[in-house]
Amino acid sequence: MIAIFHVLLFFMIIGSAVAIETKNMLSAVIAVGAVGFGVSLLFLFLGAPDIAITQVIVEILSLIILIRATTFADNRAVERKIDSFATITGLFFLGFFVMATVWAFSDLTPFGEPLMVVSQRYLAGSSAETGAVNVVAGVILDYRAYDTLGEAMVLFTSVLGAFVILRRRGKKPLDEADTEQFGIISD
Amino acid sequence: MDLKELSRDESRGMTLIVKTISRLIMSFVILFGCFIIIYGHITPGGGFAGGIILTIAYVLLLLAFGGKVAMAKLSNFWASMWDNIGALSFVVIGFLGMTGGYFFLNFLDHGSPGHLVSAGMIPLCNIFIALKVGAALYAIFIGLSVYGRIVTEEEK
């Protein structure tokens, strides 16, 4: 079972590297999608089907949005010069953070044994106390419903922001100079 | 033009093959989304995942038939309205819990675990969260794809 996780992790690392390094925008978006589906498979093998379903569906929707956004956008790649000082500094900090991560992770409990006492209490009493067989639904909508309310409010605010920024007509009248510069369709 | 003429207009959206297939598939996608929402407290899934499946059905409509047909089916006004209704109902359910003692108390009868009508307010919360999340993401998609977008040089 551990071998599957390692294969998926290497697949996701390669996908992320392709997404960063490729010149074509559409290839980068598809590589990001492959990484997302790898994450969802990982959740499925770890025994978290709720998160796997949500991850797959959000990944599909965000892929559609990204593809639709990038096919209309300007796809020219930015030319980069190799900066030796930036490369050396980056490598130094990469090594530093990898060592710090290994040092920090050595204190964790073994894989699959959670540290939190609260979660064991939830697992034992969820079905009897909330009546929901699906423990995840019992936790997010009964024990932790207040957190879910906060999450819903975050989404609500983001919709308000999207409508304000992307609406068709602004409050101020559009100059002809703006129309020429940005090529906005006025209806 | 009414909805029927708009959806048969060949200059909008994709080809006839895509339109026919998406017309066949869309109802099944909506059915699956409703299953995920209503059985959220028994099987894996829940309001968030089911709401996004409903959104994907409408996004399919928008991609296949073009923006005008999707806006005629569910306009941006009604998308943000369903968003508001879902959020408000969720908060109202939280405040109804105050009658029994505290915010978000599971005040309804729990029933026997494993049945469709059980777990008190959790199925109701799933439905409202699905309305909220689905309408919100559909509204964001409309905002990103239908609202006055920037025209590239080729399209001019």
Side-chain angles (χ1 to χ4, degrees):
Chain A
M1 201 62 183
I2 296 291
I4 298 175
F5 297 150
H6 285 143
V7 169
L8 276 173
L9 282 176
F10 272 106
F11 172 73
M12 286 192 288
I13 290 171
I14 291 170
S16 317
V18 168
I20 293 171
E21 287 300 325
T22 184
K23 290 278 184 285
N24 190 352
M25 193 73 101
L26 195 59
S27 318
V29 169
I30 290 169
V32 168
V35 174
F37 285 118
V39 172
S40 119
L41 268 181
L42 205 59
F43 279 129
L44 195 61
F45 284 128
L46 281 171
D50 280 271
I51 313 290
I53 290 175
T54 310
Q55 172 70 29
V56 162
I57 295 161
V58 171
E59 196 62 46
I60 291 171
L61 193 62
S62 59
L63 262 186
I64 294 171
I65 290 177
L66 281 177
I67 287 175
R68 205 170 161 98
T70 52
T71 45
F72 294 130
D74 199 0
N75 275 342
R76 275 171 303 183
V78 181
E79 289 290 322
R80 273 192 316 182
K81 287 174 191 154
I82 294 174
D83 187 355
S84 57
F85 175 72
T87 314
I88 291 169
T89 321
L91 281 176
F92 172 74
F93 276 106
L94 183 69
F96 178 74
F97 282 118
V98 164
M99 278 172 62
T101 312
V102 168
W103 177 65
F105 278 5
S106 63
D107 277 350
L108 284 181
T109 54
F111 186 66
E113 290 175 22
L115 197 63
M116 287 173 68
V117 188
V118 182
S119 58
Q120 289 158 11
R121 158 94 175 61
Y122 285 166
L123 279 176
S126 168
S127 181
E129 283 177 5
T130 67
V133 186
N134 184 4
V135 181
V136 177
V139 171
I140 65 170
L141 291 175
D142 192 307
Y143 294 116
R144 296 274 176 193
Y146 200 55
D147 291 359
T148 312
L149 181 67
E151 182 199 358
M153 286 310 119
V154 167
L155 200 61
F156 189 72
T157 317
S158 71
V159 171
L160 279 182
F163 267 9
V164 167
I165 294 172
L166 299 167
R167 68 182 163 207
R168 199 179 289 238
R169 288 190 204 85
K171 295 278 185 196
K172 286 200 301 187
L174 205 65
D175 294 339
E176 282 191 11
D178 290 341
T179 319
E180 281 173 15
Q181 189 182 351
F182 299 116
I184 298 169
I185 308 170
S186 57
D187 50 358
Chain B
M1 276 201 284
D2 64 340
L3 199 60
K4 212 172 226 177
E5 290 174 37
L6 271 176
S7 59
R8 289 194 180 150
D9 188 2
E10 288 191 359
S11 61
R12 283 172 209 289
M14 298 190 184
T15 59
L16 187 64
I17 303 170
V18 180
K19 283 183 179 175
T20 312
I21 299 280
S22 57
R23 190 181 285 143
L24 287 175
I25 282 187
M26 195 185 149
S27 55
F28 288 105
V29 176
I30 290 183
L31 188 67
F32 182 59
C34 292
F35 166 76
I36 291 267
I37 294 164
I38 294 172
Y39 281 76
H41 57 297
I42 300 173
T43 56
F48 196 83
I52 305 174
I53 292 177
L54 293 187
T55 307
I56 285 178
Y58 277 93
V59 166
L60 181 69
L61 187 80
L62 196 150
L63 292 178
F65 290 91
K68 278 248 168 88
V69 177
M71 294 279 273
K73 277 276 182 195
L74 183 61
S75 63
N76 51 355
F77 172 77
W78 278 107
S80 71
M81 202 55 135
W82 281 117
D83 184 12
N84 294 339
I85 289 171
L88 202 61
S89 313
F90 190 49
V91 177
V92 165
I93 280 190
F95 274 111
L96 282 180
M98 296 284 270
T99 56
Y102 52 88
F103 199 48
F104 276 117
L105 173 71
N106 198 342
F107 59 94
L108 292 172
D109 185 25
H110 289 184
S112 52
H115 285 75
L116 183 57
V117 183
S118 68
M121 67 167 192
I122 291 179
L124 282 177
C125 285
N126 264 331
I127 291 169
F128 291 136
I129 286 185
L131 276 181
K132 207 222 115 27
V133 171
L137 286 172
Y138 178 70
I140 290 179
F141 192 80
I142 284 183
L144 285 173
S145 66
V146 177
Y147 280 12
R149 58 184 173 81
I150 294 172
V151 182
T152 54
E153 289 296 321
E154 293 170 21
E155 285 176 330
K156 273 182 190 167

